[in-house]
Amino acid sequence: MYVVGGGPGGLAAAHALRARGIRAVVLEKSDRVGASWRRHYDRLHLHTTRRLSALPGLPMPRRFGRWVSRDDVVRYLEKYAEHHELEIVTGVEVSRIERTPDGTGWLLRASGGRELTGGAVVVATGHNHTPRVPDWPGRDAWTGEFLHASQYRNAQPFTGRDVLVVGAGNTGAEIAVDLVEGGAARVRLSVRTAPHIVRRSTLGWAAQYTGVLVRRLPAGLVDRLARPVARLSVPDLSAHGLPRPDTGLYSRVRQGAIPVQDVGLIDAVRRGRVEVVAAVDRFEDEAVVLADGSRVDPDAVVAATGYVRALEDLVGHLDVLDAGGRPVVHGARTPRNAPGLYFTGFTNPISGMFREMAIDAEKIAKAVARASARHTDRQVSRLPV
């Protein structure tokens, strides 16, 4: 069978399948595994602990520390592929997955005119696949520097400059802090919806531990439990433009909005080093016009506006995506109309993406093994006596 994507989800699935005696070939469009992690900004660290971020069959080394850096994540993924002797083919991009003509398996159309067939396929092309940039009026004519967060590496090119960061998720918050610490003259953070902010760790207790404990609880209950904790652990930043959200923390998570883990944003906002401003409405002449009517004139804009999964061309014709372009199922479950097609890594759970991908990998391998055994039993039962 084939695994599409050589990131953590794809590598974990390939190993779990191999461990059950199922040959799994990983198809990776870049020239190395972990391509998306290699492109992230320099200061990025996992917001989940080292111990709860390891993939099946290989712990992360203690020397990586509790919060693993981007470079160490890449090293780990390289070592993971080597340690488990995974079968990986790089430089192959799968553009479309279809049912085989006889309906018994899957046909993968790939670069170079390749047509590959397999009984099952795991799609692991990644949650952060294609940068999303809103279609702001006037942006194409704006003369300042504009880049998506996927193109941001570090603060060095912005030393002494005025920068507007758009988007108050974890990426936008961390880039804003990086710019401040890296010498940008002025940093503003454009916020459409005030985020929930949580401490990454409190007295040694990682926020991820709480996420694991509440993962299966009703959203309303978690929302009620989170409010007093937030008031005790996170100061009120309303006077600085960041009011406490009026919707529950876990309800927002269920809608795809992960809380911002504080890696310096709270202090930077309180000190006025990061200025919170309204959402971007449009670009006009030399200025950026905000939703409250005010105008700012930054030297550069960094759009931390997220990504899309870009699965439409790959599997959109199979009726396996919801209205937002996300797979209707993930992990061991396959769509009713597409048996043998599995998805992993397309959710961003509060308990940690690496942890959930590791769990999904084991479940997928178990499901594939069961399906293979049933197929073998049927074939045996058809043999003449």
Side-chain angles (χ1 to χ4, degrees):
M1 65 176 292
Y2 290 100
V3 177
V4 184
L11 297 180
H15 163 62
L17 289 161
R18 182 183 175 120
R20 288 183 174 269
I22 301 167
R23 183 188 178 195
V25 179
V26 178
L27 303 176
E28 167 54 46
K29 69 177 182 179
S30 75
D31 60 348
R32 293 177 291 181
V33 300
S36 64
W37 271 91
R38 297 175 191 276
R39 294 193 297 267
H40 287 313
Y41 50 93
D42 294 348
R43 73 172 282 158
L44 178 64
H45 286 66
L46 285 176
H47 289 164
T48 53
T49 66
R50 180 191 76 252
R51 294 183 63 186
L52 293 186
S53 299
L55 302 178
L58 186 67
M60 286 188 171
R62 289 177 61 86
R63 67 177 184 277
F64 285 179
R66 194 181 195 196
W67 313 106
V68 183
S69 71
R70 177 205 65 183
D71 289 347
D72 282 338
V73 168
V74 171
R75 291 187 186 97
Y76 174 72
L77 295 178
E78 291 174 338
K79 182 63 177 179
Y80 192 85
E82 177 188 349
H83 177 78
H84 291 305
E85 299 180 340
L86 301 182
E87 191 172 351
I88 302 170
V89 182
T90 59
V92 176
E93 181 173 9
V94 178
S95 58
R96 187 177 175 90
I97 299 174
E98 305 171 353
R99 295 294 287 176
T100 53
D102 62 5
T104 61
W106 294 98
L107 170 67
L108 287 69
R109 300 190 183 278
S111 53
R114 297 176 178 87
E115 293 186 352
L116 311 170
T117 58
V121 177
V122 178
V123 179
T125 49
H127 188 270
N128 296 340
H129 186 276
T130 301
R132 184 184 73 86
V133 179
D135 187 20
W136 288 303
R139 185 180 70 82
D140 291 341
W142 190 62
T143 56
E145 182 179 359
F146 182 94
L147 65 156
H148 187 268
S150 60
Q151 300 168 288
Y152 178 90
R153 293 295 172 268
N154 54 57
Q156 184 176 354
F158 305 97
T159 301
R161 301 175 68 190
D162 184 330
V163 186
L164 173 67
V165 180
V166 184
N170 277 292
T171 298
E174 191 157 359
I175 287 177
V177 173
D178 193 48
L179 286 164
V180 164
E181 295 177 353
R186 186 175 189 179
V187 179
R188 282 172 283 211
L189 181 62
S190 172
V191 178
R192 180 174 301 279
T193 304
H196 285 276
I197 303 175
V198 299
R199 300 287 188 181
R200 187 169 65 174
S201 180
T202 303
L203 299 175
W205 179 266
Q208 183 189 12
Y209 298 162
T210 303
V212 172
L213 292 175
V214 306
R215 178 88 163 89
R216 304 297 179 185
L217 295 180
L221 173 60
V222 180
D223 289 346
R224 290 193 294 273
L225 295 173
R227 289 190 192 103
V229 174
R231 292 185 181 279
L232 288 172
S233 61
V234 178
D236 186 359
L237 300 173
S238 299
H240 302 279
L242 273 182
R244 296 189 188 277
D246 54 8
T247 53
L249 183 149
Y250 204 27
S251 294
R252 290 273 291 275
V253 169
R254 292 283 180 85
Q255 297 167 5
I258 294 296
V260 170
Q261 294 206 18
D262 179 47
V263 291
L265 180 67
I266 292 173
D267 184 64
V269 169
R270 292 176 75 180
R271 292 171 177 266
R273 300 180 73 193
V274 170
E275 305 169 46
V276 179
V277 298
V280 170
D281 181 71
R282 65 188 185 276
F283 289 73
E284 190 174 277
D285 300 325
E286 301 296 320
V288 179
V289 183
L290 305 179
D292 61 2
S294 61
R295 300 164 68 91
V296 296
D297 187 17
D299 300 315
V301 172
V302 180
T305 46
Y307 296 79
V308 294
R309 283 145 289 277
L311 290 168
E312 286 78 9
D313 290 343
L314 187 68
V315 296
H317 54 285
L318 298 173
D319 192 27
V320 295
L321 304 177
D322 65 16
R326 295 175 294 268
V328 294
V329 297
H330 72 276
R333 299 171 59 200
T334 63
R336 289 186 177 182
N337 58 326
L341 185 62
Y342 300 88
F343 296 89
T344 183
F346 295 100
T347 61
N348 196 6
I350 196 171
S351 51
M353 183 179 286
F354 270 57
R355 178 181 181 272
E356 295 300 323
M357 286 190 294
I359 294 171
D360 277 353
E362 302 283 10
K363 290 181 176 179
I364 289 171
K366 186 175 181 179
V368 172
R370 282 199 305 263
S372 178
R374 287 196 298 268
H375 176 73
T376 300
D377 289 344
R378 286 196 298 270
Q379 293 294 102
V380 171
S381 68
R382 293 172 184 167
L383 294 175
V385 178

